[in-house]
């Protein structure tokens, strides 16, 4: 997909913005958005994470590097537009 990611409904004043590499955070974000009647946005990296990337026991894995380096963040596949929401989670 290309372009700007926008809200599913575009009408809520609250947005749940999430990133999920394994699906766990996605399930929680969708549940929270449904419960609050919030818009929901998925942050998608350009590079899909592999199981090796997510191995937090390995100090050289991508997730460990990103977690420990505040300036080290993945490139996004598209910008996230949530300007309509007054409050973002």
């Amino acid at each position: 997909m290309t372009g700007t990611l926008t809200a599913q409904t575009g009408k809520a004043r609250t947005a749940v913005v999430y990133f999920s590499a394994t699906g766990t955070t996605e399930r929680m974000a969708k549940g929270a958005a449904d419960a609050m009647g919030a818009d929901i946005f998925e942050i998608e990296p350009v590079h899909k994470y592999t199981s090796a990337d997510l191995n937090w026991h390995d100090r050289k894995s991508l997730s460990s590097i990103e977690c420990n380096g505040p300036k080290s963040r993945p490139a996004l596949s598209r910008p996230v537009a949530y300007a309509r929401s007054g409050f973002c989670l």
Side-chain angles (χ1 to χ4, degrees):
M1 292 169 109
T2 60
T4 302
L5 181 63
T6 56
Q8 289 181 1
T9 66
K11 297 177 182 174
R13 295 217 13 100
T14 301
V16 175
V17 181
Y18 73 95
F19 166 75
S20 183
T22 63
T24 301
T25 303
E26 179 179 27
R27 287 190 299 278
M28 298 300 289
K30 286 181 176 180
D34 286 345
M36 294 184 290
D39 289 333
I40 188 163
F41 305 92
E42 180 180 9
I43 297 170
E44 296 181 65
V46 170
H47 161 78
K48 295 291 182 183
Y49 288 76
T50 66
S51 57
D53 292 335
L54 298 172
N55 181 1
W56 56 273
H57 292 290
D58 179 0
R59 297 175 96 180
K60 294 181 181 179
S61 73
L62 188 57
S63 62
S64 294
I65 292 168
E66 290 174 354
C67 183
N68 294 314
K71 293 185 178 183
S72 178
R73 296 291 182 253
L76 301 181
S77 65
R78 55 192 164 171
V80 177
Y82 50 89
R84 290 184 181 195
S85 300
F87 184 72
C88 296
L89 302 172

